[in-house]
Amino acid sequence: MMSSNTEFTPQDDASFSSLVQDIKLSSSNPSAVEAHLPGVVDRLEAALAKLEQDGNDQDSWDQVSNTFQFLADSAREEKARTPIGESRAVALLVQIEALNKQRLSHVDIQALRVLANICVDHEANRNKVLEAGAFETINDILRSSTHPDAVKTACGALLNTTMACEAAQSKVIELGTIESLLKVLKSDDIDENEVSMTIAARVTANFCDSDGGSQSVIKFSGINTVVQLLVRTSKDVEGYMDLFDAATDILRAVASKEAAQVAIQKEGLFIPLMEILEHTGISDEGKTEEEKKEDDKKFGETKAALVEVVVSATLADENMVPVFNNKEVMERFLTWLKLSDREDLQTCAALCLGNVARSDNHCVKLVHEYNAVEPLIHVVRKATDLKASHAATGVLRNLALTERNRELMGNAGVIQACFPLLKKDNALPLQANVVGILKRLSTNDGHNTIRIISGREPFETLSSTPNTEGDIETPMSTLVDVIGRSDDFALKSEGTRTLCNLVKVTWGSEGMREFDTRSITALQQTLNKADVVLPIAAMTRNPKYVVLQNEGVIALTLLVTSPTQDKNAVLDSLVSVELTPQPDPETTISEEPLDQTKPLTLLESLLSLIKNQDGKCPDEVRTNVCVFLRNALDAAAREGEDPAYLTFLKGSGMKDSLSEVLEGLDKDAGEGKKSPLVRHAVQEVLSRLA
């Protein structure tokens, strides 16, 4: 072992070279490396002292390079990394490299190898590298070195020294090293620098997991740099697969940031990204089946990431108008919807259109100027990928919210195209989209209401063969089926509200006046059946949502006095004491699952609303309930109706309950809390119970 104050001499040089060779031969023995470390450190200290006096001493730099190489080679062995990290080697390395003003590449490369190798699977050494200030060293080399191998090794050192180490990553970001990494990605000769560029992209992508890293990429115009790199490598994506994949990871990591989304739009990067998605592919020629599967999987994941980037870029509020007004981008999206053999592009296009169709004005233009409905229907009818179907129905659901679009969408066949998707019980979000489409298209629209109820076009003869159970499958019958078999509270509720919509439009919409009485009667008879009434009654029984209860009450009020072909389904539900099962809170995706500890019958639920013991039920709803009960009693008293209905209702205790309510209202009125509408409505019901 050499003493710490021994200076380098020619003889010492030869002796040291022999020592290095001996240890290289025994590097598989970590204890041998550890035994020689004190001598190695002594020599680094001596070299440091000498270089501080003469930074141009080439012999000293050569000796340092050899010493660094010894440490780097030794650190290939896992057990050698801890003793090297615990020695003063890293601190001395940083001090010596600070004197390397000439950026001697053979010294830089070996120093970087030391840092990279000691940090392989070694968290403690990463922290020691950070504490020693080695990231300033790496940053300086990467910023100023022009030697390809030095740049490549610097990128590799950054990869190893910052892996899963937030503190190290934060330091590198603080130093602005990402700017240098992005410079590497701009290299003119990809073939010559592919490895460096790939590692630089991987490191940058790792840094982008943090806000600071993403912001640095955006700050240094990294979005443009990466997209241009993708354009260049997409010409031979198979040859540059690793680089292409790593560059894509950067975009995916930053795409959630609004600043990155805006940069894609402002810097005109939509079209380049779309062209990459359109034209980039890989060949299967000369590959084994296993290789084909592996490449297809990897490239598929990369394309999915690029789709994610394009879709994310349309999310920014600042991008909505400029993207929508960009005819080239919009026309390309619409063209993609027609590409049956590229469901990835169909999905991407539909998601992007949904993101920019977030205003009434855009929804109207998308339907009436861009003519987007037909290509969206094409996706719905032809797609085999549920993601494409879900994306397309999501856009149609948005478009149906605007009243001006409903007639055109109905005429185009949206209802007929979408309702079969309600059968896909393995795709709850898709079912929810379709229910939303039916609900919105039927709102205040008589023609679409007819299409949903009957499965026919308006003005077809409805009265001659009204739909009954066992007839042709219709959108409404399919909707009723999914309400009955679904355990999801949100889906059941929205489906049932759609049924309520159909009832309200059929009985009260201005748009229904253009149809003859026989046709309207046929529709009403189709609605006034148990399979429609029961889910409405079940929703009305749920005390958690008064708004939903009120919608149910209004629909039942219209139904109870309407013509029926068989028994009066509303009166049946009102006198029934059998309770239909409710959705299990554990299997529902709704944010507020049903919470009903004591199930009530429909009549009990209605009386509970009128009593309003918790004070939360608005007078309007209480009045509506009374109107329903009044109409139900009138219907039960009609000539030809089963007398058992009226007998049950009169003997149900309803009279006593409402009499108590009336007494309470009179008491409240004496205290200045008047509810005249409720009082009058209660009296109307009591008059029928006398």
Side-chain angles (χ1 to χ4, degrees):
M1 182 180 296
M2 307 292 180
S3 63
S4 60
N5 59 356
T6 303
E7 296 183 4
F8 286 112
T9 65
Q11 182 178 356
D12 290 332
D13 293 343
S15 175
F16 183 72
S17 297
S18 176
L19 174 63
V20 170
Q21 184 62 32
D22 289 343
I23 298 180
K24 282 182 181 179
L25 294 173
S26 61
S27 61
S28 60
N29 182 359
S31 60
V33 174
E34 187 172 0
H36 289 294
L37 265 178
V40 173
V41 169
D42 287 346
R43 289 187 175 276
L44 286 177
E45 288 177 337
L48 173 62
K50 194 168 185 179
L51 289 170
E52 284 176 337
Q53 295 175 0
D54 182 6
N56 294 317
D57 187 339
Q58 191 61 47
D59 289 339
S60 294
W61 283 118
D62 290 342
Q63 293 167 15
V64 165
S65 176
N66 289 334
T67 308
F68 287 165
Q69 182 178 357
F70 162 70
L71 291 172
D73 289 346
S74 299
R76 290 175 178 172
E77 297 294 328
E78 181 180 353
K79 292 183 180 180
R81 294 165 195 159
T82 296
I84 293 174
E86 290 176 348
S87 72
R88 293 193 63 249
V90 175
L92 288 168
L93 180 152
V94 171
Q95 291 176 277
I96 292 171
E97 275 292 281
L99 302 174
N100 188 4
K101 307 299 183 184
Q102 307 170 61
R103 289 274 65 93
L104 299 169
S105 60
H106 68 301
V107 178
D108 286 341
I109 290 169
Q110 297 306 325
L112 292 165
R113 288 185 63 236
V114 173
L115 298 175
N117 289 354
I118 66 170
C119 289
V120 174
D121 298 325
H122 207 299
E123 183 178 354
N125 278 356
R126 292 177 190 135
N127 289 320
K128 291 182 182 298
V129 166
L130 175 63
E131 293 166 4
F135 288 111
E136 285 84 346
T137 300
I138 300 173
N139 184 59
D140 288 343
I141 296 171
L142 192 58
R143 187 183 301 275
S144 55
S145 179
T146 59
H147 195 284
D149 286 342
V151 171
K152 177 176 66 178
T153 313
C155 293
L158 281 175
L159 185 65
N160 287 4
T161 55
T162 61
M163 186 72 67
C165 184
E166 290 185 12
Q169 292 179 7
S170 297
K171 182 63 178 178
V172 172
I173 293 167
E174 176 190 322
L175 292 170
T177 308
I178 285 180
E179 182 178 16
S180 300
L181 290 168
L182 292 171
K183 183 180 176 182
V184 175
L185 299 184
K186 294 179 181 179
S187 299
D188 293 330
D189 191 337
I190 298 180
D191 290 331
E192 182 69 26
N193 300 293
E194 182 183 356
V195 175
S196 300
M197 297 170 74
T198 302
I199 301 173
R202 290 284 179 217
V203 176
T204 304
N206 288 347
F207 292 163
C208 287
D209 286 338
S210 69
D211 287 340
S214 295
Q215 295 303 327
S216 289
V217 168
I218 297 166
K219 173 184 175 183
F220 296 120
S221 301
I223 306 296
N224 196 309
T225 298
V226 174
V227 171
Q228 297 310 319
L229 175 59
L230 288 173
V231 170
R232 294 162 63 196
T233 52
S234 66
K235 295 177 176 61
D236 182 15
V237 68
E238 195 164 9
Y240 301 118
M241 178 67 83
D242 289 338
L243 176 55
F244 190 88
D245 184 58
T248 301
D249 282 344
I250 298 174
L251 285 186
R252 177 166 48 184
V254 302
S256 62
K257 312 298 180 185
E258 187 168 359
Q261 297 164 3
V262 172
I264 289 174
Q265 185 275 126
K266 284 188 173 180
E267 296 177 27
L269 301 177
F270 265 105
I271 294 300
L273 284 170
M274 295 173 81
E275 288 179 344
I276 291 169
L277 277 172
E278 276 186 18
H279 303 301
T280 301
I282 56 176
S283 171
D284 289 337
E285 186 177 352
K287 296 179 184 176
T288 65
E289 287 301 317
E290 191 64 31
E291 289 171 337
K292 290 178 185 178
K293 289 180 182 179
E294 184 64 29
D295 285 353
D296 286 346
K297 179 182 177 183
K298 186 173 183 179
F299 187 59
E301 291 171 352
T302 302
K303 282 199 300 183
L306 285 175
V307 167
E308 183 182 329
V309 170
V310 174
V311 172
S312 296
T314 59
L315 277 172
D317 291 340
E318 190 175 332
N319 286 352
M320 188 171 74
V321 172
V323 171
F324 191 84
N325 292 336
N326 189 323
K327 297 289 186 182
E328 185 179 4
V329 171
M330 291 296 289
E331 290 296 340
R332 191 165 296 210
F333 283 147
L334 294 171
T335 299
W336 284 5
L337 293 176
K338 302 171 186 176
L339 302 177
S340 299
D341 60 335
R342 289 295 303 274
E343 292 192 5
D344 59 327
L345 297 185
Q346 289 181 322
T347 302
C348 180
L351 291 172
C352 290
L353 291 175
N355 287 341
V356 298
R358 286 179 282 151
S359 70
D360 280 352
N361 182 45
H362 284 186
C363 285
V364 169
K365 286 186 176 181
L366 204 54
V367 171
H368 294 272
E369 295 181 17
Y370 281 115
N371 301 313
V373 174
E374 288 292 347
L376 286 167
I377 289 176
H378 173 78
V379 176
V380 171
R381 290 189 184 279
K382 301 294 184 181
T384 58
D385 186 348
L386 288 178
K387 290 184 290 186
S389 301
H390 179 255
T393 54
V395 183
L396 291 169
R397 183 179 183 178
N398 281 4
L399 299 180
L401 189 58
T402 304
E403 187 173 358
R404 286 179 58 189
N405 290 342
R406 292 171 191 159
E407 180 181 356
L408 190 152
M409 293 178 69
N411 292 340
V414 169
I415 293 169
Q416 291 298 326
C418 291
F419 87 84
L421 298 177
L422 288 172
K423 300 174 186 177
K424 295 190 176 295
D425 291 339
N426 62 329
L428 181 58
L430 177 60
Q431 291 177 314
N433 277 350
V434 176
V435 170
I437 290 168
L438 298 180
K439 180 169 177 280
R440 291 173 179 180
L441 287 181
S442 64
T443 301
N444 299 322
D445 192 293
H447 289 197
N448 287 333
T449 295
I450 289 173
R451 291 183 176 104
I452 294 171
I453 296 173
S454 69
R456 303 174 185 176
E457 285 300 302
F459 302 108
E460 288 185 23
T461 302
L462 300 177
S463 56
S464 60
T465 55
N467 289 320
T468 58
E469 287 188 39
D471 278 349
I472 62 169
E473 183 179 59
T474 66
M476 188 179 77
S477 67
T478 308
L479 175 63
V480 167
D481 286 345
V482 78
I483 293 171
R485 67 176 181 270
S486 176
D487 291 327
D488 184 75
F489 178 71
L491 185 65
K492 291 176 80 75
S493 295
E494 284 304 291
T496 306
R497 295 180 77 187
T498 303
L499 296 178
C500 293
N501 255 8
L502 299 175
V503 172
K504 286 185 283 187
V505 173
T506 303
W507 266 262
S509 171
E510 290 287 331
M512 298 302 291
R513 294 187 178 182
E514 60 184 309
F515 300 102
D516 63 87
T517 302
R518 292 182 66 195
S519 294
I520 300 300
T521 300
L523 292 172
Q524 291 176 344
Q525 289 176 341
T526 304
L527 286 166
N528 200 357
K529 293 180 180 177
D531 55 357
V532 174
V533 170
L534 288 177
I536 296 176
M539 184 177 77
T540 307
R541 285 176 37 228
N542 177 13
K544 191 170 182 66
Y545 303 99
V546 174
V547 172
L548 299 186
Q549 287 183 289
N550 190 48
E551 288 189 32
V553 166
I554 293 171
L556 293 174
T557 302
L558 295 171
L559 286 166
V560 74
T561 55
S562 68
T564 61
Q565 290 181 310
D566 301 307
K567 295 178 67 176
N568 191 312
V570 179
L571 290 178
D572 273 347
S573 67
L574 190 59
V575 303
S576 175
V577 294
E578 294 183 10
L579 301 179
T580 55
Q582 297 292 345
D584 182 355
E586 297 299 323
T587 61
T588 181
I589 64 168
S590 57
E591 293 181 3
E592 299 184 72
L594 185 66
D595 182 16
Q596 188 173 332
T597 55
K598 182 184 177 183
L600 302 177
T601 66
L602 177 59
L603 182 57
E604 289 170 338
S605 298
L606 295 172
L607 291 175
S608 176
L609 287 171
I610 299 173
K611 292 176 183 178
N612 192 28
Q613 292 178 340
D614 60 4
K616 294 180 180 180
C617 186
D619 282 355
E620 177 189 355
V621 177
R622 300 171 73 192
T623 302
N624 288 342
V625 174
C626 290
V627 171
F628 166 62
L629 292 176
R630 182 198 69 190
N631 287 4
L633 287 165
D634 287 345
R638 281 186 307 210
E639 185 178 352
E641 194 61 80
D642 188 341
Y645 291 133
L646 189 60
T647 301
F648 178 91
L649 293 173
K650 286 188 173 183
S652 64
M654 188 195 319
K655 182 177 180 180
D656 292 340
S657 295
L658 293 180
S659 296
E660 291 178 10
V661 171
L662 191 60
E663 290 176 8
L665 289 170
D666 289 339
K667 181 180 178 182
D668 290 343
E671 298 173 357
K673 303 175 184 177
K674 297 182 179 180
S675 299
L677 292 177
V678 179
R679 190 177 191 283
H680 176 73
V682 170
Q683 288 177 323
E684 286 281 300
V685 180
L686 287 172
S687 69
R688 274 118 174 120
L689 293 169

